[in-house]
């Protein structure tokens, strides 16, 4: 109700992104979601691809399983992390528009939500395979369907990821850990030579 939708039974996939081409959501709706017929997709975010996603969902026969929530409050986003089954990041390569670190991935994982993400650009730095989620080749619909189907059916693996993910995120991405890594880099920098 807080998200403004009643979701059908079956797995709820979550995407949190600006709706631009490189995020791959239009591609995902057109090529993947239709092949995972019992899953629904909740999209939090806005952008120029919104109408295209709606049209592709209609064309793929999945309009009743795609929910566009727009921008939400932090409280509602946290709720989405807890009620969803998987976070999807189906990014696709777009010339001159690379994906960076992908902050949504560790944020979802810290809430215990496993991540299924494209193995592309900066995303592998944010998703730790078999700890916080899994990486899938970008734009490989067969691999995406297989990964989602596997995680949907294998509740033990999904539960293991949910349990491991918050601990892994704390260990790898806490401010203390980042500060320690930064100081290590600074310590390893070559010292300037002193004039004689």
């Amino acid at each position: 109700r807080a998200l403004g939708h009643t979701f059908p039974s079956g797995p709820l996939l979550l995407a949190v992104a600006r709706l631009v081409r490189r995020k791959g959501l239009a591609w995902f709706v057109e090529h993947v979601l239709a092949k995972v017929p019992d899953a629904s997709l909740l999209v939090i975010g806005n952008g120029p691809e919104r109408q295209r996603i709606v049209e592709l969902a209609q064309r793929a026969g999945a309009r009743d399983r795609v929910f566009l929530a727009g921008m939400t409050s932090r409280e509602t986003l946290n709720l989405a992390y807890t009620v969803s089954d998987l976070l999807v990041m189906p990014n696709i390569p777009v010339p001159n528009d690379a994906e960076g670190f992908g902050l949504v991935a560790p944020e979802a994982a810290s809430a215990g939500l496993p991540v299924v993400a494209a193995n592309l650009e900066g995303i592998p730095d944010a998703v730790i395979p078999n700890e916080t989620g899994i990486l899938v080749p970008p734009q490989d619909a067969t691999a995406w369907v297989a990964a989602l189907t596997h995680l949907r059916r294998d509740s033990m693996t999904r539960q293991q990821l949910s349990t491991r993910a918050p601990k892994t995120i704390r260990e790898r991405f806490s401010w203390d850990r980042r500060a320690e890594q930064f100081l290590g880099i600074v310590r390893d920098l070559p010292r300037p030579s002193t004039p004689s």
Side-chain angles (χ1 to χ4, degrees):
R1 285 191 299 266
L3 294 162
H5 301 288
T6 302
F7 303 108
S9 62
L12 180 60
L13 310 177
L14 174 66
V16 180
R18 198 163 75 82
L19 306 185
V20 294
R21 186 166 172 246
R22 76 177 154 86
K23 297 296 184 177
L25 290 168
W27 173 84
F28 183 83
V29 166
E30 182 177 20
H31 297 283
V32 178
L33 192 62
K35 297 174 183 159
V36 187
D38 61 339
S40 297
L41 175 66
L42 170 62
V43 179
I44 294 180
N46 276 323
E49 288 264 298
R50 183 183 177 96
Q51 188 55 41
R52 183 160 183 256
I53 291 168
V54 169
E55 290 166 4
L56 289 170
Q58 185 73 36
R59 199 176 312 154
R63 183 62 196 111
D64 60 337
R65 297 186 292 119
V66 175
F67 303 91
L68 298 165
M71 298 304 291
T72 66
S73 67
R74 168 53 61 178
E75 180 182 4
T76 303
L77 176 58
N78 290 339
L79 176 64
Y81 286 143
T82 61
V83 300
S84 300
D85 295 294
L86 298 168
L87 178 85
V88 293
M89 296 178 67
N91 292 59
I92 61 173
V94 174
N96 303 314
D97 193 12
E99 183 67 52
F101 176 71
L103 188 58
V104 170
E107 188 174 85
S110 70
L113 183 61
V115 179
V116 181
N119 190 2
L120 180 70
E121 297 158 349
I123 295 173
D125 292 330
V127 178
I128 297 95
N130 302 317
E131 293 288 327
T132 65
I134 60 173
L135 294 168
V136 182
Q139 289 185 301
D140 183 339
T142 302
W144 272 90
V145 170
L148 293 171
T149 301
H150 168 71
L151 285 175
R152 183 184 74 217
R153 292 181 179 158
D154 188 348
S155 59
M156 183 179 293
T157 298
R158 209 170 53 246
Q159 184 56 50
Q160 288 171 343
L161 289 170
S162 292
T163 302
R164 284 185 203 136
K167 180 177 184 283
T168 300
I169 293 301
R170 282 192 304 275
E171 289 171 355
R172 296 222 184 172
F173 299 116
S174 71
W175 283 112
D176 289 343
R177 179 72 177 125
R178 287 295 172 192
E180 182 183 299
Q181 290 171 330
F182 178 75
L183 289 173
I185 291 168
V186 171
R187 276 192 298 270
D188 292 342
L189 288 173
R191 303 221 183 263
S193 58
T194 56
S196 46

